[in-house]
Structures are given as structure tokens and as C-alpha cells.
Amino acid sequence: MSQNKTQGKSRTKSEGQHESGEAADAADGGPRPEPLRFFGTTWLAHDGGYAARRAAVAVGSLAAAVGACLLLRFAYQGLTIADASPFIGILVIVMFSVCSAIAFRKTWEGFSKRPVDRAREEQLRSLKGIGFIGSLVAYFLRSLTEAPGERLRRTEYETAVARYERRRTTRTGNPAARKASRPKRPKRK
């Protein structure tokens, strides 16, 4: 499939549709792949500059993580110049380290499975914002092997396609599909 055809079929989904794992409804001719950030639907057939996009995402997320670390270092130097107590400096380091570790873990888990509790994810948003370096590192590491979230979307899409094909071939109102799916019997003599 070309990029134009794949992007033309893509659509965004509401949060309620993520729960069921359906890639799209079958009324429009079958499931549609869910677009990924920075990749659209190029992850499906690895076309439309997929490799270049993956490289750009890897380099961009690593550069952003390095820049964020430099920014935090300047902030820490500002604390030492201001003669803040050593306790505050240690507290800042521990806070960013713990938040980055949690953000890394939650971002990494988000690439392989959908969050079960949306309310809990909403509560962790500010913590993940503080530990944004962890999210950037997770994005970098995942983009070395695949588009971040590709495996999850591919599994959901293939499941939806298989479910759609099963429903389509067993439908009683579609004799063409039934004839194509059944093997022909040899004629009796």
C-alpha cells in the first residue's frame, strides 16, 4: 500500500475505541491502521520515508534529552551560586532522578500495552512532566528498534483485520465471500 492510500484511510480514534482494541469499524470496508506520532501510518508497510523518520526521531529525542540535562545542570549551578543549602540541591537531584525513572517506566510500558486505568495515568501526568528526560530516553531507545508504539498498534491492527475477515466470511448475506473461503469439493462419480 502506498503512503497516500494508507494515510487516506487513517483516522483518529476517541479514547473509548482504544479500550476495545479495534483499529476501525468494518462498515467502511475493513479496519484502518491507527496513526503514530511522527510516523502517521507509514509504520504499517515501512514506506513513505519510515527509516528516515525513525532516524530523525532517534536523533531528535536524544538531542532533546542531552539539552534537557544541560539545562538541569545550569539550574543546579544556579542553586550552588545562590548558596542554597546542600539539602535543597540533593532534594532537586533526587526529585528529578525519581521522576525520570518513573516517566521512563510508564513511557516504556505505554509502547507495549494500553493503560488500564486512565484516571491513574492522568494523575501521573505532572510527574511524567517533571521527569521528561526519562520519557525522552525511552523514546530514543524504542526508536532504535521500531517506531515507538508500532508493535502495539500492529498487534491491534492484525487482530482487527483477522476479526473482520472472520466476520465477513461467515456472514450469511455475502455469498461471494462464502464461496471464496470454502474449498471446492471434488465431484462424485
Side-chain angles (χ1 to χ4, degrees), residues 43-81:
W43 60 267
L44 187 61
H46 291 192
D47 61 351
Y50 172 81
R53 289 178 190 215
R54 243 184 63 202
V57 165
V59 169
S61 60
L62 183 63
V66 168
C69 287
L70 288 174
L71 185 67
L72 288 177
R73 179 175 177 196
F74 291 142
Y76 182 76
Q77 285 178 345
L79 286 174
T80 57
I81 290 172

mmCIF file of all heavy atoms in Angstrom, residues 43-81:
data_model
loop_
_atom_site.group_PDB
_atom_site.id
_atom_site.type_symbol
_atom_site.label_atom_id
_atom_site.label_comp_id
_atom_site.label_asym_id
_atom_site.label_seq_id
_atom_site.Cartn_x
_atom_site.Cartn_y
_atom_site.Cartn_z
ATOM 1 N N TRP A 43 4.193 3.219 9.377
ATOM 2 C CA TRP A 43 4.690 2.066 10.126
ATOM 3 C C TRP A 43 4.102 0.754 9.608
ATOM 4 O O TRP A 43 4.702 -0.303 9.793
ATOM 5 C CB TRP A 43 4.372 2.202 11.619
ATOM 6 C CG TRP A 43 2.913 2.310 11.931
ATOM 7 C CD1 TRP A 43 2.198 3.453 12.071
ATOM 8 C CD2 TRP A 43 1.991 1.239 12.128
ATOM 9 N NE1 TRP A 43 0.882 3.163 12.345
ATOM 10 C CE2 TRP A 43 0.730 1.807 12.384
ATOM 11 C CE3 TRP A 43 2.099 -0.141 12.103
ATOM 12 C CZ2 TRP A 43 -0.406 1.053 12.618
ATOM 13 C CZ3 TRP A 43 0.971 -0.904 12.344
ATOM 14 C CH2 TRP A 43 -0.262 -0.307 12.600
ATOM 15 N N LEU A 44 2.964 0.821 8.940
ATOM 16 C CA LEU A 44 2.293 -0.396 8.500
ATOM 17 C C LEU A 44 3.108 -1.136 7.442
ATOM 18 O O LEU A 44 3.372 -2.327 7.570
ATOM 19 C CB LEU A 44 0.896 -0.065 7.970
ATOM 20 C CG LEU A 44 0.019 -1.249 7.634
ATOM 21 C CD1 LEU A 44 -0.233 -2.089 8.868
ATOM 22 C CD2 LEU A 44 -1.290 -0.772 7.052
ATOM 23 N N ALA A 45 3.524 -0.437 6.396
ATOM 24 C CA ALA A 45 4.286 -1.074 5.314
ATOM 25 C C ALA A 45 5.737 -0.613 5.277
ATOM 26 O O ALA A 45 6.476 -0.970 4.364
ATOM 27 C CB ALA A 45 3.628 -0.764 3.979
ATOM 28 N N HIS A 46 6.144 0.179 6.265
ATOM 29 C CA HIS A 46 7.504 0.736 6.332
ATOM 30 C C HIS A 46 7.858 1.473 5.042
ATOM 31 O O HIS A 46 8.942 1.312 4.487
ATOM 32 C CB HIS A 46 8.537 -0.342 6.622
ATOM 33 C CG HIS A 46 8.418 -0.888 8.012
ATOM 34 N ND1 HIS A 46 9.375 -1.675 8.565
ATOM 35 C CD2 HIS A 46 7.471 -0.763 8.971
ATOM 36 C CE1 HIS A 46 9.024 -2.009 9.785
ATOM 37 N NE2 HIS A 46 7.857 -1.462 10.047
ATOM 38 N N ASP A 47 6.913 2.289 4.574
ATOM 39 C CA ASP A 47 7.137 3.075 3.359
ATOM 40 C C ASP A 47 7.016 4.558 3.697
ATOM 41 O O ASP A 47 6.811 4.927 4.840
ATOM 42 C CB ASP A 47 6.121 2.684 2.277
ATOM 43 C CG ASP A 47 4.681 2.940 2.703
ATOM 44 O OD1 ASP A 47 4.444 3.263 3.883
ATOM 45 O OD2 ASP A 47 3.794 2.824 1.848
ATOM 46 N N GLY A 48 7.160 5.397 2.694
ATOM 47 C CA GLY A 48 6.983 6.837 2.890
ATOM 48 C C GLY A 48 8.024 7.472 3.785
ATOM 49 O O GLY A 48 7.708 8.355 4.572
ATOM 50 N N GLY A 49 9.269 7.023 3.695
ATOM 51 C CA GLY A 49 10.332 7.621 4.496
ATOM 52 C C GLY A 49 10.350 7.124 5.925
ATOM 53 O O GLY A 49 10.814 7.822 6.823
ATOM 54 N N TYR A 50 9.869 5.931 6.159
ATOM 55 C CA TYR A 50 9.799 5.363 7.510
ATOM 56 C C TYR A 50 11.185 5.312 8.171
ATOM 57 O O TYR A 50 11.344 5.721 9.322
ATOM 58 C CB TYR A 50 9.173 3.967 7.452
ATOM 59 C CG TYR A 50 9.230 3.207 8.746
ATOM 60 C CD1 TYR A 50 8.306 3.444 9.742
ATOM 61 C CD2 TYR A 50 10.218 2.243 8.978
ATOM 62 C CE1 TYR A 50 8.349 2.743 10.932
ATOM 63 C CE2 TYR A 50 10.270 1.543 10.157
ATOM 64 C CZ TYR A 50 9.328 1.788 11.136
ATOM 65 O OH TYR A 50 9.384 1.106 12.315
ATOM 66 N N ALA A 51 12.188 4.821 7.459
ATOM 67 C CA ALA A 51 13.535 4.694 8.037
ATOM 68 C C ALA A 51 14.114 6.068 8.378
ATOM 69 O O ALA A 51 14.716 6.244 9.443
ATOM 70 C CB ALA A 51 14.451 3.956 7.076
ATOM 71 N N ALA A 52 13.915 7.031 7.497
ATOM 72 C CA ALA A 52 14.416 8.382 7.767
ATOM 73 C C ALA A 52 13.691 9.003 8.959
ATOM 74 O O ALA A 52 14.306 9.694 9.778
ATOM 75 C CB ALA A 52 14.236 9.258 6.532
ATOM 76 N N ARG A 53 12.397 8.753 9.061
ATOM 77 C CA ARG A 53 11.636 9.280 10.196
ATOM 78 C C ARG A 53 12.114 8.652 11.500
ATOM 79 O O ARG A 53 12.231 9.334 12.519
ATOM 80 C CB ARG A 53 10.147 9.003 10.013
ATOM 81 C CG ARG A 53 9.516 9.818 8.935
ATOM 82 C CD ARG A 53 8.069 9.451 8.786
ATOM 83 N NE ARG A 53 7.501 10.054 7.598
ATOM 84 C CZ ARG A 53 6.266 10.481 7.525
ATOM 85 N NH1 ARG A 53 5.461 10.363 8.536
ATOM 86 N NH2 ARG A 53 5.833 11.021 6.404
ATOM 87 N N ARG A 54 12.382 7.344 11.472
ATOM 88 C CA ARG A 54 12.871 6.680 12.682
ATOM 89 C C ARG A 54 14.216 7.238 13.104
ATOM 90 O O ARG A 54 14.467 7.465 14.285
ATOM 91 C CB ARG A 54 12.980 5.177 12.443
ATOM 92 C CG ARG A 54 12.055 4.417 13.338
ATOM 93 C CD ARG A 54 12.164 2.955 13.236
ATOM 94 N NE ARG A 54 13.475 2.476 13.636
ATOM 95 C CZ ARG A 54 13.970 1.315 13.257
ATOM 96 N NH1 ARG A 54 13.292 0.540 12.456
ATOM 97 N NH2 ARG A 54 15.142 0.933 13.658
ATOM 98 N N ALA A 55 15.093 7.464 12.136
ATOM 99 C CA ALA A 55 16.399 8.041 12.450
ATOM 100 C C ALA A 55 16.247 9.456 13.005
ATOM 101 O O ALA A 55 16.908 9.823 13.976
ATOM 102 C CB ALA A 55 17.274 8.049 11.198
ATOM 103 N N ALA A 56 15.359 10.232 12.399
ATOM 104 C CA ALA A 56 15.142 11.605 12.870
ATOM 105 C C ALA A 56 14.565 11.623 14.282
ATOM 106 O O ALA A 56 14.954 12.454 15.115
ATOM 107 C CB ALA A 56 14.215 12.345 11.906
ATOM 108 N N VAL A 57 13.645 10.709 14.562
ATOM 109 C CA VAL A 57 13.060 10.640 15.905
ATOM 110 C C VAL A 57 14.121 10.226 16.922
ATOM 111 O O VAL A 57 14.181 10.788 18.020
ATOM 112 C CB VAL A 57 11.854 9.668 15.918
ATOM 113 C CG1 VAL A 57 11.456 9.285 17.332
ATOM 114 C CG2 VAL A 57 10.670 10.287 15.204
ATOM 115 N N ALA A 58 14.968 9.272 16.562
ATOM 116 C CA ALA A 58 16.026 8.842 17.482
ATOM 117 C C ALA A 58 17.001 9.983 17.773
ATOM 118 O O ALA A 58 17.317 10.268 18.928
ATOM 119 C CB ALA A 58 16.768 7.639 16.904
ATOM 120 N N VAL A 59 17.454 10.641 16.729
ATOM 121 C CA VAL A 59 18.411 11.750 16.909
ATOM 122 C C VAL A 59 17.746 12.905 17.665
ATOM 123 O O VAL A 59 18.340 13.491 18.574
ATOM 124 C CB VAL A 59 18.955 12.221 15.542
ATOM 125 C CG1 VAL A 59 19.723 13.509 15.663
ATOM 126 C CG2 VAL A 59 19.842 11.135 14.939
ATOM 127 N N GLY A 60 16.517 13.224 17.303
ATOM 128 C CA GLY A 60 15.813 14.334 17.952
ATOM 129 C C GLY A 60 15.563 14.093 19.420
ATOM 130 O O GLY A 60 15.759 14.990 20.255
ATOM 131 N N SER A 61 15.127 12.885 19.771
ATOM 132 C CA SER A 61 14.858 12.610 21.183
ATOM 133 C C SER A 61 16.153 12.564 21.998
ATOM 134 O O SER A 61 16.184 13.033 23.143
ATOM 135 C CB SER A 61 14.069 11.311 21.342
ATOM 136 O OG SER A 61 14.785 10.226 20.809
ATOM 137 N N LEU A 62 17.219 12.044 21.421
ATOM 138 C CA LEU A 62 18.500 12.040 22.128
ATOM 139 C C LEU A 62 19.023 13.463 22.306
ATOM 140 O O LEU A 62 19.505 13.825 23.388
ATOM 141 C CB LEU A 62 19.527 11.179 21.385
ATOM 142 C CG LEU A 62 20.888 11.046 22.068
ATOM 143 C CD1 LEU A 62 20.736 10.353 23.410
ATOM 144 C CD2 LEU A 62 21.848 10.290 21.179
ATOM 145 N N ALA A 63 18.929 14.278 21.266
ATOM 146 C CA ALA A 63 19.380 15.679 21.370
ATOM 147 C C ALA A 63 18.553 16.445 22.398
ATOM 148 O O ALA A 63 19.102 17.237 23.182
ATOM 149 C CB ALA A 63 19.294 16.353 20.003
ATOM 150 N N ALA A 64 17.259 16.197 22.430
ATOM 151 C CA ALA A 64 16.406 16.870 23.412
ATOM 152 C C ALA A 64 16.756 16.418 24.832
ATOM 153 O O ALA A 64 16.764 17.240 25.761
ATOM 154 C CB ALA A 64 14.938 16.590 23.107
ATOM 155 N N ALA A 65 17.054 15.127 25.017
ATOM 156 C CA ALA A 65 17.433 14.633 26.344
ATOM 157 C C ALA A 65 18.762 15.244 26.797
ATOM 158 O O ALA A 65 18.902 15.647 27.955
ATOM 159 C CB ALA A 65 17.527 13.109 26.334
ATOM 160 N N VAL A 66 19.725 15.328 25.884
ATOM 161 C CA VAL A 66 21.024 15.931 26.238
ATOM 162 C C VAL A 66 20.837 17.418 26.566
ATOM 163 O O VAL A 66 21.398 17.924 27.545
ATOM 164 C CB VAL A 66 22.046 15.725 25.097
ATOM 165 C CG1 VAL A 66 23.287 16.568 25.303
ATOM 166 C CG2 VAL A 66 22.407 14.254 24.986
ATOM 167 N N GLY A 67 20.055 18.104 25.754
ATOM 168 C CA GLY A 67 19.786 19.527 26.028
ATOM 169 C C GLY A 67 19.082 19.721 27.363
ATOM 170 O O GLY A 67 19.393 20.665 28.107
ATOM 171 N N ALA A 68 18.161 18.837 27.690
ATOM 172 C CA ALA A 68 17.460 18.938 28.972
ATOM 173 C C ALA A 68 18.410 18.689 30.137
ATOM 174 O O ALA A 68 18.319 19.353 31.172
ATOM 175 C CB ALA A 68 16.311 17.943 29.003
ATOM 176 N N CYS A 69 19.330 17.751 29.975
ATOM 177 C CA CYS A 69 20.323 17.503 31.031
ATOM 178 C C CYS A 69 21.221 18.724 31.246
ATOM 179 O O CYS A 69 21.550 19.075 32.389
ATOM 180 C CB CYS A 69 21.170 16.285 30.688
ATOM 181 S SG CYS A 69 20.293 14.730 30.851
ATOM 182 N N LEU A 70 21.617 19.369 30.144
ATOM 183 C CA LEU A 70 22.423 20.594 30.277
ATOM 184 C C LEU A 70 21.638 21.698 30.978
ATOM 185 O O LEU A 70 22.175 22.420 31.820
ATOM 186 C CB LEU A 70 22.889 21.063 28.906
ATOM 187 C CG LEU A 70 23.968 20.214 28.236
ATOM 188 C CD1 LEU A 70 24.244 20.710 26.818
ATOM 189 C CD2 LEU A 70 25.240 20.233 29.067
ATOM 190 N N LEU A 71 20.374 21.812 30.643
ATOM 191 C CA LEU A 71 19.519 22.823 31.282
ATOM 192 C C LEU A 71 19.391 22.556 32.781
ATOM 193 O O LEU A 71 19.472 23.489 33.594
ATOM 194 C CB LEU A 71 18.143 22.829 30.613
ATOM 195 C CG LEU A 71 17.175 23.904 31.075
ATOM 196 C CD1 LEU A 71 17.683 25.278 30.649
ATOM 197 C CD2 LEU A 71 15.812 23.643 30.486
ATOM 198 N N LEU A 72 19.208 21.296 33.150
ATOM 199 C CA LEU A 72 19.123 20.961 34.570
ATOM 200 C C LEU A 72 20.457 21.205 35.281
ATOM 201 O O LEU A 72 20.485 21.599 36.446
ATOM 202 C CB LEU A 72 18.692 19.508 34.744
ATOM 203 C CG LEU A 72 17.234 19.220 34.421
ATOM 204 C CD1 LEU A 72 16.944 17.743 34.565
ATOM 205 C CD2 LEU A 72 16.317 20.028 35.313
ATOM 206 N N ARG A 73 21.546 20.990 34.573
ATOM 207 C CA ARG A 73 22.852 21.259 35.184
ATOM 208 C C ARG A 73 23.014 22.759 35.468
ATOM 209 O O ARG A 73 23.497 23.156 36.526
ATOM 210 C CB ARG A 73 23.963 20.780 34.277
ATOM 211 C CG ARG A 73 25.308 21.072 34.888
ATOM 212 C CD ARG A 73 26.424 20.533 34.114
ATOM 213 N NE ARG A 73 27.649 20.968 34.798
ATOM 214 C CZ ARG A 73 28.816 20.936 34.264
ATOM 215 N NH1 ARG A 73 28.970 20.458 33.066
ATOM 216 N NH2 ARG A 73 29.866 21.363 34.920
ATOM 217 N N PHE A 74 22.583 23.593 34.507
ATOM 218 C CA PHE A 74 22.651 25.046 34.740
ATOM 219 C C PHE A 74 21.755 25.451 35.901
ATOM 220 O O PHE A 74 22.106 26.326 36.699
ATOM 221 C CB PHE A 74 22.256 25.809 33.479
ATOM 222 C CG PHE A 74 23.249 25.683 32.359
ATOM 223 C CD1 PHE A 74 22.820 25.574 31.056
ATOM 224 C CD2 PHE A 74 24.614 25.674 32.599
ATOM 225 C CE1 PHE A 74 23.724 25.459 30.006
ATOM 226 C CE2 PHE A 74 25.526 25.560 31.568
ATOM 227 C CZ PHE A 74 25.077 25.447 30.267
ATOM 228 N N ALA A 75 20.605 24.820 36.022
ATOM 229 C CA ALA A 75 19.713 25.119 37.142
ATOM 230 C C ALA A 75 20.364 24.723 38.469
ATOM 231 O O ALA A 75 20.272 25.459 39.462
ATOM 232 C CB ALA A 75 18.388 24.389 36.968
ATOM 233 N N TYR A 76 21.042 23.584 38.485
ATOM 234 C CA TYR A 76 21.718 23.145 39.698
ATOM 235 C C TYR A 76 22.875 24.091 40.039
ATOM 236 O O TYR A 76 23.103 24.406 41.215
ATOM 237 C CB TYR A 76 22.227 21.719 39.532
ATOM 238 C CG TYR A 76 22.895 21.191 40.774
ATOM 239 C CD1 TYR A 76 22.143 20.786 41.869
ATOM 240 C CD2 TYR A 76 24.287 21.119 40.868
ATOM 241 C CE1 TYR A 76 22.750 20.326 43.011
ATOM 242 C CE2 TYR A 76 24.904 20.650 42.005
ATOM 243 C CZ TYR A 76 24.126 20.252 43.078
ATOM 244 O OH TYR A 76 24.734 19.795 44.215
ATOM 245 N N GLN A 77 23.598 24.538 39.019
ATOM 246 C CA GLN A 77 24.673 25.507 39.270
ATOM 247 C C GLN A 77 24.112 26.809 39.813
ATOM 248 O O GLN A 77 24.751 27.468 40.631
ATOM 249 C CB GLN A 77 25.464 25.765 37.989
ATOM 250 C CG GLN A 77 26.396 24.641 37.626
ATOM 251 C CD GLN A 77 27.126 24.903 36.314
ATOM 252 O OE1 GLN A 77 26.757 25.770 35.539
ATOM 253 N NE2 GLN A 77 28.178 24.123 36.067
ATOM 254 N N GLY A 78 22.924 27.176 39.354
ATOM 255 C CA GLY A 78 22.274 28.366 39.896
ATOM 256 C C GLY A 78 21.969 28.211 41.371
ATOM 257 O O GLY A 78 22.073 29.174 42.145
ATOM 258 N N LEU A 79 21.600 27.012 41.783
ATOM 259 C CA LEU A 79 21.351 26.767 43.214
ATOM 260 C C LEU A 79 22.641 26.878 44.023
ATOM 261 O O LEU A 79 22.641 27.421 45.132
ATOM 262 C CB LEU A 79 20.746 25.374 43.419
ATOM 263 C CG LEU A 79 19.292 25.192 43.019
ATOM 264 C CD1 LEU A 79 18.883 23.727 43.154
ATOM 265 C CD2 LEU A 79 18.394 26.061 43.873
ATOM 266 N N THR A 80 23.746 26.386 43.474
ATOM 267 C CA THR A 80 25.006 26.469 44.212
ATOM 268 C C THR A 80 25.524 27.907 44.265
ATOM 269 O O THR A 80 26.105 28.325 45.272
ATOM 270 C CB THR A 80 26.079 25.553 43.596
ATOM 271 O OG1 THR A 80 26.266 25.889 42.234
ATOM 272 C CG2 THR A 80 25.675 24.098 43.718
ATOM 273 N N ILE A 81 25.306 28.665 43.188
ATOM 274 C CA ILE A 81 25.729 30.068 43.180
ATOM 275 C C ILE A 81 24.913 30.878 44.184
ATOM 276 O O ILE A 81 25.422 31.779 44.846
ATOM 277 C CB ILE A 81 25.610 30.660 41.763
ATOM 278 C CG1 ILE A 81 26.674 30.042 40.858
ATOM 279 C CG2 ILE A 81 25.735 32.182 41.780
ATOM 280 C CD1 ILE A 81 26.525 30.417 39.401
#
